[in-house]
Amino acid sequence: NYGQTADDKAQKLIQKLMFATFSVILLVLVAMGWREALTVGIAVLVTLAATLFASWMWGFTINRVSLFALIFSIGILVDDAIVIVENIHRHFAFDKSSPVQLIARAVDEVGGPTILATFTVIAALLPMAFVTGLMGPYMSPIPINASMGMLISLAVALVITPWMARRLLTNTHQVDSSIAQKIDLQINYFFEKMLRPFLQGNEAKNRRHKLYGGTLAAIVVALALVGVKLVVLKMLPFDNKSEFQIVVNMPEGSSLEQTAAVLDELTAEVSKLPEVTDYQVYAGTSAPINFNGLVRQYYLRSGPLVGDIQVNLVDKHHRSRKSHEIALAIRPALDDIGKTHHAVVQVVEVPPGPPVMAPIVAEIYGPNNAAQRALTTQVRQLFGRTADIVDIDDSNEAAAKRYVLELDREKAALFGVSQAQVVQTLNIALHGSDATFIRAGQERYPIPIRLELPVADQAALEGLLSLQVQSSAGKRIYLSEFVSVKQLPWDGAIYHKDLLPVTYVTADMAGQLDSPLYGMFDLISNIKSTLKDTVNQYFIAQPEDPNLFAIKWDGEWQITYETFRDMGLAYSVGLLLIYLLVVAQFRSYVLPLIIMAPIPLTLIGIMPGHALLGAQFTATSMIGMIALAGIIVRNSILLVDFINLKIAEGSALQEAVLQAAIVRTKPIVLTGLAAMMGALFILDDPIFNGLAVSLIFGILVSTLLTLLVIPVLYFSYLNRRATPR
């Protein structure tokens, strides 16, 4: 019941959205107090309500992706309010001005960097809305909703938050001095211990160089996790569904009864699974259309050679194994049954995407059909010898006998029998015909009287040739008198793609690495070593010369390439927009590079985070990585802006850098924790797990490193400019 599952998921996500909102408010409550928490809470609720209204005006519906967009956005929507409330809160601790002047001064101090930081987040996210292909329409609610939410949150933070602060944070409201002093002392001690050695002393320069070198080494090590397969690349992970499908392809020449018998054997094995509630078998026809039937066109399957088994599982809350684990467990036994009957048995899971013919597809091109078929057979054998490649099939029909009934027209003419009589007789015998209709009793519709040979007689040529036809003289004559049987080979189908004749080999990947990309790379290597240079392999375009042997890799690889290519371009455009925004604000071409330096630092958290949790790096992980570019730049802007402010007030460079780190640590840590808590609630989702891992570990590591690396980098830059040459 797809309606029920969709409703359950939507209700669960709405609960998570409420929990995420409450968690962020609780965080502010613990860090600053109930008045500040109430101020931030009202700002968040107003922002969410306005964002939902804007989303409705844009044309989005409440669905899994739009709800995930809101949950993902909770952490960044609250950032503006937290930064402004925290600065007002800080000013109340030492500024004795009137509340109106104090709030105005506090908002003015962080207003510029907050506006700039908001637009950097939008600049990072918004280009994803223009991604084409599969992921563009599917994921577009995330960048669009988040961007609209960021603009709304900025307006709320600059208008409603100061007003709420004026109403709640009066002059009589004082910060708990003991708690505040303890926190300030700990922060002061930490940065005096960690940061000052990089700013002064004879070894300060060497320490800075070691810091830069260690950071670069950590980035290289993080990227190396992909090379050693501790982080697995995949388009989208498997979801934990309550169903899977078994698709059976029998060899040519098989009867419907043989197909049904094989399906019976398969279902006997399926019924042994404790998680199975029921199953339904379809012999000679397709199952009712589902996601696989839609994207892989299973609904077009028909004929005696094909069969489907639709298997339903108990609810995921009542079983310990995921649907993917169940499919992996049952596959070997089903494969053995298929091999016994020379059938191809495929265990097909309901995928979240992408819509492809099969996870691994090799399109084979050649100078003629015979050569293509021969190469297809060779490639299929290589598929079978490659580890973890399963559910292998190809477009070549199995060798089967084909019987042609030839009419001796001269003899038939002598007997006075027409060709039409022969064709009609055979057609009635094999396919049946309604000879007449009768009405019996109170039946609403007439009952047909159907003429047709029994199924057993239809399979015997002798029975067909023993049929009689009536001659023009009224004499009954056996068909065997003037009909002969010729045995010919089966004529294979010829497939075309973009006007080029093509054959296919398809497969899936099962094993420790269930990403089809790794199976495809192993196949590429095996084909290259076995077939040498006789076959060219193409990856992103079809071969130009159809007279040469070639293999074009398709399937999940093609969608993965297009998606990551487009998202990589969106990432690049986002970085360029961030750079231009920071250049416009600080009137410098070098300073933006310092401010954007933490962006690569996110890799130090993202890749080890995926490896630690055993999560695959997917398209949603890439979305998290792109979002981090804007989120983490906010921290740099706050630090650099405060350093400039202190220098303008007359502070020494070293003290300005230290003060910036000390004063801005609390809002930076609070906004980072808020974003991490929002992501924490989607960590258990199979599809968006990668997005959550990227945000949690990327923010955790890059925030800590930003508080150290950015002050040191900016100090080096200003110190070098101030030092006479």
Side-chain angles (χ1 to χ4, degrees):
N1 187 341
Y2 289 161
Q4 181 182 350
T5 56
D7 183 64
D8 290 344
K9 288 180 177 179
Q11 294 297 330
K12 185 177 180 181
L13 287 173
I14 290 171
Q15 292 175 4
K16 287 185 175 182
L17 180 61
M18 292 188 292
F19 283 133
T21 305
F22 176 75
S23 300
V24 170
I25 296 171
L26 185 63
L27 174 68
V28 180
L29 173 67
V30 173
M32 290 186 284
W34 71 267
R35 290 181 175 88
E36 290 82 354
L38 182 59
T39 304
V40 171
I42 292 173
V44 172
L45 294 177
V46 171
T47 302
L48 278 177
T51 303
L52 280 170
F53 176 76
S55 181
W56 171 73
M57 290 292 291
W58 192 271
F60 289 134
T61 59
I62 295 295
N63 54 58
R64 287 191 73 205
V65 180
S66 60
L67 285 171
F68 270 115
L70 288 174
I71 297 172
F72 150 76
S73 302
I74 279 291
I76 58 177
L77 293 184
V78 78
D79 284 0
D80 293 343
I82 286 179
V83 169
I84 288 178
V85 168
E86 191 279 334
N87 207 47
I88 295 172
H89 171 87
R90 185 177 66 86
H91 274 258
F92 267 118
F94 64 84
D95 196 335
K96 304 304 179 184
S97 304
S98 67
V100 174
Q101 292 176 339
L102 184 149
I103 291 171
R105 193 178 299 118
V107 174
D108 180 62
E109 185 178 276
V110 294
T114 299
I115 294 171
L116 177 61
T118 300
F119 280 99
T120 59
V121 176
I122 295 173
L125 287 171
L126 199 55
M128 281 195 294
F130 300 96
V131 172
T132 60
L134 169 76
M135 293 303 293
Y138 184 64
M139 292 298 181
S140 60
I142 292 180
I144 294 175
N145 272 344
S147 298
M148 290 191 299
M150 287 301 298
L151 285 174
I152 293 168
S153 72
L154 178 63
V156 169
L158 295 177
V159 177
I160 296 179
T161 301
W163 176 78
M164 287 298 301
R166 173 68 182 88
R167 304 289 297 178
L168 294 174
L169 307 180
T170 62
N171 229 7
T172 58
H173 170 56
Q174 299 295 330
V175 181
D176 186 338
S177 58
S178 61
I179 298 175
Q181 286 176 2
K182 287 180 181 179
I183 294 174
D184 291 342
L185 285 173
Q186 290 294 327
I187 294 174
N188 272 280
Y189 175 77
F190 175 80
F191 283 106
E192 284 287 343
K193 195 78 174 174
M194 292 296 298
L195 192 55
R196 194 174 285 277
F198 293 100
L199 305 181
Q200 68 180 34
N202 296 329
E203 293 296 318
K205 189 173 183 179
N206 289 334
R207 291 192 188 101
R208 291 197 294 270
H209 290 163
K210 288 178 182 178
L211 174 64
Y212 305 149
T215 304
L216 289 174
I219 294 173
V220 172
V221 170
L223 291 173
L225 295 176
V226 177
V228 297
K229 298 181 182 178
L230 286 175
V231 177
V232 176
L233 302 177
K234 196 173 188 293
M235 175 65 186
L236 285 173
F238 285 107
D239 201 352
N240 188 12
K241 297 289 188 179
S242 59
E243 60 176 313
F244 65 87
Q245 191 174 0
I246 300 170
V247 176
V248 179
N249 293 310
M250 297 290 288
E252 276 67 22
S254 301
S255 65
L256 185 63
E257 290 74 19
Q258 289 173 312
T259 302
V262 173
L263 291 170
D264 284 342
E265 288 188 48
L266 296 172
T267 53
E269 196 66 38
V270 168
S271 62
K272 297 178 183 178
L273 290 171
E275 295 90 349
V276 172
T277 58
D278 47 61
Y279 55 83
Q280 195 160 22
V281 180
Y282 303 86
T285 186
S286 62
I289 190 168
N290 55 13
F291 189 86
N292 285 323
L294 178 68
V295 301
R296 299 184 179 183
Q297 299 184 344
Y298 286 166
Y299 66 94
L300 297 176
R301 289 163 48 84
S302 63
L305 310 180
V306 302
D308 284 349
I309 305 174
Q310 191 72 33
V311 183
N312 290 332
L313 306 173
V314 297
D315 187 81
K316 62 184 178 182
H317 300 294
H318 301 139
R319 50 183 161 89
S320 57
R321 293 193 294 181
K322 295 182 179 180
S323 59
H324 179 57
E325 295 171 354
I326 298 170
L328 289 177
I330 193 65
R331 181 177 270 114
L334 301 183
D335 192 47
D336 290 340
I337 295 173
K339 288 178 180 177
T340 303
H341 298 279
H342 306 289
V344 175
V345 179
Q346 300 172 336
V347 179
V348 184
E349 301 177 56
V350 180
V356 291
M357 181 189 299
I360 303 175
V361 178
E363 300 175 357
I364 298 173
Y365 299 88
N368 55 68
N369 184 254
Q372 276 181 296
R373 291 173 62 87
L375 180 58
T376 301
T377 302
Q378 282 184 280
V379 172
R380 177 170 179 166
Q381 292 171 353
L382 292 174
F383 270 57
R385 293 200 292 266
T386 304
D388 297 332
I389 300 295
V390 297
D391 295 352
I392 305 168
D393 199 4
D394 61 54
S395 59
N396 286 350
E397 290 91 344
K401 298 176 182 178
R402 183 167 68 98
Y403 296 99
V404 177
L405 301 182
E406 285 195 346
L407 173 68
D408 188 330
R409 296 185 181 184
E410 188 175 346
K411 280 188 178 182
L414 291 174
F415 285 120
V417 176
S418 68
Q419 184 175 347
Q421 284 180 271
V422 177
V423 172
Q424 185 181 21
T425 301
L426 291 173
N427 188 58
I428 292 173
L430 294 175
H431 300 291
S433 176
D434 295 336
T436 186
F437 297 87
I438 63 170
R439 290 188 178 273
Q442 301 298 318
E443 297 288 344
R444 173 174 294 184
Y445 301 105
I447 301 171
I449 298 177
R450 191 168 184 80
L451 299 180
E452 187 176 1
L453 278 180
V455 174
D457 292 338
Q458 290 180 15
L461 284 172
E462 295 79 7
L464 290 175
L465 296 179
S466 64
L467 294 174
Q468 296 177 341
V469 292
Q470 189 172 1
S471 68
S472 58
K475 187 178 179 180
R476 304 188 66 81
I477 303 168
Y478 290 102
L479 291 180
S480 57
E481 294 287 340
F482 48 84
V483 175
S484 60
V485 179
K486 290 184 67 175
Q487 183 176 315
L488 299 175
W490 187 274
D491 287 337
I494 299 177
Y495 296 90
H496 289 81
K497 182 175 180 180
D498 294 341
L499 303 181
L500 293 179
V502 63
T503 55
Y504 298 96
V505 181
T506 61
D508 201 348
M509 181 80 172
Q512 186 176 3
L513 298 176
D514 58 12
S515 172
L517 299 180
Y518 295 92
M520 190 193 81
F521 293 142
D522 290 340
L523 286 167
I524 291 168
S525 178
N526 291 344
I527 290 171
K528 189 173 183 179
S529 60
T530 304
L531 301 178
K532 306 298 180 185
D533 296 328
T534 58
V535 177
N536 297 319
Q537 299 190 60
Y538 295 82
F539 302 96
I540 59 176
Q542 283 184 281
E544 295 179 358
D545 190 345
N547 297 316
L548 299 176
F549 288 112
I551 296 175
K552 162 66 175 69
W553 292 100
D554 201 82
E556 190 164 318
W557 151 254
Q558 185 69 30
I559 301 292
T560 303
Y561 162 74
E562 291 174 355
T563 299
F564 279 90
R565 177 200 63 194
D566 288 356
M567 295 183 76
L569 288 173
Y571 191 34
S572 302
V573 171
L575 294 180
L576 179 61
L577 291 175
I578 292 172
Y579 178 81
L580 294 175
L581 284 169
V582 181
V583 166
Q585 173 68 19
F586 290 99
R587 301 289 194 272
S588 169
Y589 293 107
V590 178
L591 184 54
L593 300 177
I594 297 173
I595 290 175
M596 296 172 68
I599 294 176
L601 302 183
T602 58
L603 293 170
I604 303 175
I606 292 173
M607 294 305 175
H610 280 79
L612 184 65
L613 298 184
Q616 297 167 329
F617 189 88
T618 62
T620 58
S621 303
M622 188 70 178
I623 292 174
M625 183 174 166
I626 293 172
L628 277 173
I631 294 171
I632 209 65
V633 163
R634 168 193 293 274
N635 302 336
S636 301
I637 292 171
L638 289 174
L639 288 168
V640 168
D641 183 78
F642 196 84
I643 292 171
N644 291 342
L645 181 66
K646 285 298 178 184
I647 292 174
E649 291 176 356
S651 298
L653 178 57
Q654 291 181 10
E655 295 306 315
V657 171
L658 273 171
Q659 283 300 308
I662 292 168
V663 171
R664 290 298 179 231
T665 290
K666 187 181 288 186
I668 286 173
V669 170
L670 282 176
T671 54
L673 287 174
M676 290 169 63
M677 291 176 75
L680 194 64
F681 287 93
I682 58 176
L683 189 61
D684 61 341
D685 186 84
I687 308 304
F688 288 87
N689 169 266
L691 172 62
V693 172
S694 292
L695 288 177
I696 292 170
F697 287 91
I699 290 173
L700 175 65
V701 174
S702 59
T703 298
L704 295 176
L705 288 175
T706 298
L707 289 170
L708 182 63
V709 172
I710 291 303
V712 171
L713 264 177
Y714 197 39
F715 172 83
S716 300
Y717 169 69
L718 293 179
N719 191 50
R720 181 171 296 183
R721 286 182 60 186
T723 303
R725 297 184 179 179

